[in-house]
Structure formats: structure tokens, C-alpha cells
Amino acid sequence: MSEARAHTRQFGGARLARLEAETLLAAKTEDLRRATEEFERLSAALGRRVDELEAERALTLHLARTDGLTGLLNRGAFTSALIERLEDAHESGERVALFVIDLDHFKHLNDTLGHHAGDLLLNEMGTRLRGQARHGDLVARLGGDEFALITAAPDVAARAEQLTTALAQAYWIYGRTVAPSASVGVAVFPDNAVDATDLQRFADMALYRAKAGGGRRFSIFDREMREASDRRNSLEGDLRRAIPQGEIVPWFQPVVDAQDSRIVGVEVLARWNHPEQGLLLPGVFVPLAEELGLIGQMDAAVFAAACQRAAPWVAQGLIDTVSCNVSPRELLDPAFSRNLIRRLRATDLPATALTVEITETFLVDDLDLARRHIERLAACGVRVALDDFGTGYSNLRALMQLPIHTVKLDQSLIGDVGRDPRVSKLVRSMLQAATSLDCRIVAEGVEDEGQALFLRAAGCDRLQGYLFARPMPAEAVEARLLESAAARVPLGPAVTPIPLRNSR
Ligand code: C2E
Ligand code: CA
Ligand code: CA
């Protein structure tokens, strides 16, 4: 091979290699450019997705913290905000006021105007509250018609006044004006309480006071409420011990035949033998037991003891009826009647001698459940009495459909009977209603002879009250029963006989 040809070949090879290298480089550069582009596209998309997710998260968080109807904080968010605010206040030394606000008669407005109007009204109230808030305040809807405001503490009374006034402004809805109003309860950190739970509890107590005063007003937690709360707390501990230790016992109040004043039955009334405070009445401990969810346990204990005590009196023919009170709370338990029958069977009292006293509120709350309980009891021979008749709705239509055996005319109606003609007329018509339902009628709270005379003539079957006997311990009532059986003397004042009605 000539030298020149060899040179040409060598030169050509290098050029080729360079060309190849350049092509490769160009291709790689293009790959890199595409990759960079793709990367940028992806990272932009990723950025957008991250933004979206963040927005979604913020929205979810917002929704989780917000009341859907009013846009205010909801209960959960309110609770954490209150805890946080108190922690801050603890450090800064700031005083914080908690206002709890409850609309008056909202249920009635809701029922009469409809739920949509009710929602509009709640929304309006939320707007008004927001309008009352100052910088740094927190406004929440705690649920239903209950709201709250957390604010710095100065001029608490003036703020409460402003709130109550603002919420009581007339509101125009569906072509008519409604006059809403609200009750407000206030408690202050750290004056009244240092933690969120107590602060809320005390504000609620103040609210309760405002409600009890008739609504459309505010109440600020004070020393008197603090003492009541302390008493309640110590009683709460006592009550938890008292039930298992048998400190709550049945007492018995005789019920007499209206015609001859013979004792024919007893009503079981609970009494608490408190080790330090002496004898306590149900007005003190029954509401507490209800609030603490102990009422079922308490009633079961009183019931068992009462049936056991009274069974021999029934067996000996001294009385025919033992009446026991049950709390409306217990009646909400679908197993109530079954449990009661089971407990009754563990005693020696025959089912037909037992009357269970229930109040009308229960019939209003849940008529279907009431019917099931009453029918189940009636099927076993247990009688049901409607207590405090004449104080509630007196839904006669509902009563007519239920196997109610006895109606107990409330003592608030008895006071002026025979004295005030209007009361007498009212009672007479209530008695007529009860008679048309074919119920036995018992009048309670009979304190004087005038009342007894009137009630007897008006058609009551049985009477109960201080005129005849007060509630008393088992031994005392047993002595009375044996005594009157031996002597066959009527209890209480002698009466002029009047013709007997169809005996029930
Ligand atoms: P209630 O069922 O309406 O019982 C009648 C109340 O009137 C009793 O009050 C009784 O002592 C009182 N009373 C009877 N005769 C007269 C009278 O002539 N004049 C006046 N002013 N009062 C009279 P007590 O024993 O204080 O019971 C109050 C309420 O507590 C009862 O009202 C009943 O609702 C409830 N209660 C009582 N014992 C029990 C129980 O064991 N369980 C439940 N769940 N509630 C009970
Ligand atoms: Ca009763
Ligand atoms: Ca009663």
C-alpha cells in the first residue's frame, strides 16, 4: 500500500470516529433535553398535585372544625380552642370569659315553623353572635341551639347584656316575625375555674340558672353556684357508695279507699339514710341519680327491698296494691319492662299487686316504646298508673290506646279544690276524662277534710295524703296495717257515707 493511501485511510477513520461521536453527543443532548423537559413537566404536575392536596387537606380540616349550618367553629374545634386559649392565658395572665348561649323555646319555634325555618333562625343567630365578636374572640355552635363565645374577660356583664339584647331582636321569616330570645351563662378563667372542663361546667350551671329564671337573661357563675356545685360533688361521691351499701331504702305512704278511709295500698317512696346529713328526700337525690346514670340501679334496689317488705302485707290481705315509681329515664331502656318482670319474679309479691307509676312526659317522648312497655307489663298482670295527671299534656288520645289502669291526680290540683270554684271545675272535668278512660282514680296530696270530701263526691276511688298518713318506714307502716286490721277501724277522719260508684 502506498504511503498516501495509508494516510488517507487513517485520516478518514478519525473523521468517521469524530462524526460518530458528534452524532452520539447530539443524540444524548436531545435525550437530556427531553428528560429535562419531561422532568419539568412532571415536577410542575407534581407541584400542582401537592397544591391540590394541600387545598383539600385545608378544606377537610376546615370542614372538620366548622359547623356546616352556621360556618362557626363546631364543638370539637371549640373544645381544643378553649384548651389552647386557657394555656396561653395561663402564661400571659389574661382573664378569659366563656359565654354559653342557648336559644329559648327553640324546639317550639322549630316545630311550629318547620325545620328549614329553624335552620334559618340558627344561622341568623350565628351571624348575630359573629357580629358581637371582637378581635381575638372565638364563636362556636356547640350543637342544636347551643352556642359559645370565648373572649377576653373585662366587662363581662356588659357583654352578656349586649349579647342577650342582640339575640332577642325580632326576626322576619316566611312573612312573619318571630321573637327569638336566648339565655346566657358565663364563667371566667381563672376566677371560677382553671381548666376547660370546669369552666364549661360552671358556665353551663350559670346558663341553667338563667333558664330557670325564665330565659331572655344572663347569669354569671358566682359563689352561691360554687357552693351548690361543691355540695353536689360531695353528694355525688356519697351516692355512688350509698346505693350498694343499702343506705337508700323504701318508705311507704298508705293509700286509702275514698269511701271508708281504709288503707288499701301503699306507694313506695325512696329515702336516703345519709350517715352525716340524716334523712334525705328524693328531691335531693333522684335528679342526681338520674344525671349520674345511677337511677336504674337505685330503683332496682328500692324496688326489690319494697316488694320483699310488702309481699306479706298483700299475702295477709292487709293491702291489695304496692305502687312503685320509675324514672322516665329508665323507661327509655327497651329492656325496662322485661327486667322489671324478672326482678318482680325474684320476690314474693304477686304481679297483680304491683302498680308501676309512670309520668306522662314519657308518653310524649316515645309513645311506641311506652306502648310496648305498658302492654308487656299488663300482659303479666302488672298494672300501670299515670302519675302527676293534670300537670302535663294530658294526651287523652294516647291514653285511650294504652292499657293504663290507674290515673293519679296531681297534688298541685288538689290544693284549692273545693275552695276555688274554677279549680273545682277543672278537677271535675279531669276526673270525668279519667273516668271515661275507665281508669281507677287516685288523688294525691290530700291534706284536709274539705278536699277529701270534694274528691270523694267527685268520684275518686282512692286518696293519699298527709290527712291520712305521711310516708313512713316499713316497720311503722306494718304496725299501722296490723293495728287497723285488728281494730277494723278506718284510718283518718270519719266520713259521711255516700253511694259507692262502680267499684274499680
Ligand atoms: P310522687 O310520685 O308524686 O310522690 C308523691 C310525693 O308527694 C311524695 O314526695 C310524698 O311524700 C308527697 N306527699 C304525699 N302526700 C302529701 C301531702 O299531703 N302533701 C304534700 N305536700 N306532699 C305529699 P317525696 O317522697 O318527696 O317524693 C317526691 C318525688 O320523688 C315523687 O313524687 C317521685 O316522683 C320521686 N320518687 C320518690 N321515690 C322514688 C323512687 O324510688 N324512684 C324514683 N325514680 N322516683 C322516686
Ligand atoms: Ca308517684
Ligand atoms: Ca305524683
Side-chain angles (χ1 to χ4, degrees), residues 235-261:
L235 209 58
E236 170 179 336
D238 292 352
L239 187 62
R240 289 187 193 280
R241 279 190 302 275
I243 301 172
Q245 287 182 2
E247 284 174 26
I248 301 187
V249 296
W251 275 33
F252 301 85
Q253 184 177 30
V255 177
V256 307
D257 186 300
Q259 298 307 323
D260 57 14
S261 299

Side-chain angles (χ1 to χ4, degrees), residues 360 363 386 389 394-407 429-441 504:
E360 252 178 311
L363 302 183
L386 195 65
F389 186 68
S394 297
N395 185 343
L396 297 175
R397 192 195 298 274
L399 285 184
M400 227 155 17
Q401 301 168 358
L402 298 169
I404 301 273
H405 178 271
T406 300
V407 160
S429 66
M430 310 228 41
L431 286 171
Q432 259 158 22
T435 310
S436 64
L437 295 172
D438 213 18
C439 288
R440 173 188 282 168
I441 305 163
R504 255 180 283 269

Side-chain angles (χ1 to χ4, degrees), residues 413-421 423-425 427-428 450-451 454:
L413 293 166
I414 309 299
D416 287 323
V417 107
R419 272 190 284 271
D420 182 336
V423 176
S424 303
K425 201 169 159 195
V427 168
R428 231 182 248 118
Q451 295 163 350
F454 174 91

Side-chain angles (χ1 to χ4, degrees), residues 267 357 387-388 408 410-411 444:
E267 176 174 6
E357 298 195 0
D387 207 352
D388 305 341
K408 292 194 79 173
D410 191 65
Q411 46 181 287
E444 59 182 359

Side-chain angles (χ1 to χ4, degrees), residues 104-118:
D104 302 325
H105 318 297
F106 177 71
K107 192 178 175 318
H108 173 74
L109 284 174
N110 209 29
D111 289 347
T112 46
L113 297 175
H115 289 246
H116 185 244

